[in-house]
């Protein structure tokens, strides 16, 4: 239901743009977000965006990452600039989606996309 893409290998200071598209018999999408999990660490919130466009970021990425969404395309993006080696992680997208079968909001996760930042 959520397909993430855009990860890869980049040098420190570089940029990447992640995308995550929702598909299926969707009625509505509320909050969307990105999380990441570095090796040996717990999954952490990176950024979230509401259906109205309000955003929230973890302190470590403020000023460097920008989350956005295209509601018509049912897609959330994460523009990552000034990347640091400590940003290396598997990035997961997340969304609260109601389908046209139940109209009940459920939490969905994408499959994860690896971002590696070399020093």
């Amino acid at each position: 239901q959520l397909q993430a893409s855009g990860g890869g290998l980049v040098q420190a200071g570089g940029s990447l743009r992640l995308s995550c598209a929702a598909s299926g018999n969707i009625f509505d999408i509320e909050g969307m977000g990105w999380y990441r999990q570095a090796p040996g660490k717990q999954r952490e919130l990176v950024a979230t965006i509401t259906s109205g466009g309000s955003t929230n970021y973890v302190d470590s990425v403020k000023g460097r990452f920008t989350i956005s969404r295209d509601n018509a395309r049912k897609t959330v993006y994460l523009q990552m600039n000034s990347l640091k080696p400590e940003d290396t992680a598997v990035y997961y997208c997340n969304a609260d989606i109601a389908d046209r079968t139940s109209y009940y909001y459920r939490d969905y996760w994408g499959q994860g996309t690896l971002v590696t930042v070399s020093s």
Side-chain angles (χ1 to χ4, degrees):
Q1 193 112 3
L2 288 175
Q3 182 68 43
S5 61
L9 173 64
V10 63
Q11 288 188 334
S15 298
L16 281 175
R17 188 192 195 207
L18 305 183
S19 301
C20 178
S23 62
N25 192 20
I26 295 172
F27 168 68
D28 187 46
I29 304 175
E30 288 194 334
M32 304 183 83
W34 290 93
Y35 292 71
R36 66 186 179 187
Q37 187 165 17
K41 295 187 177 182
Q42 290 188 332
R43 189 175 298 188
E44 68 168 350
L45 170 70
V46 176
T48 60
I49 185 167
T50 67
S51 57
S54 296
T55 60
N56 181 56
Y57 298 91
V58 67
D59 286 347
S60 60
V61 308
K62 285 180 179 177
R64 300 188 298 121
F65 291 10
T66 302
I67 189 170
S68 61
R69 63 190 284 172
D70 183 331
N71 290 328
R73 295 179 183 271
K74 300 181 179 62
T75 300
V76 62
Y77 306 96
L78 186 68
Q79 178 66 44
M80 305 185 293
N81 299 328
S82 302
L83 283 160
K84 304 176 180 179
E86 51 263 43
D87 294 318
T88 295
V90 177
Y91 284 71
Y92 298 91
C93 57
N94 171 268
D96 294 321
I97 301 173
D99 62 31
R100 295 185 181 277
T101 301
S102 67
Y103 299 95
Y104 176 75
Y105 287 91
R106 291 176 54 198
D107 198 37
Y108 288 88
W109 290 89
Q111 83 283 11
T113 185
L114 177 62
V115 172
T116 303
V117 184
S118 63
S119 57

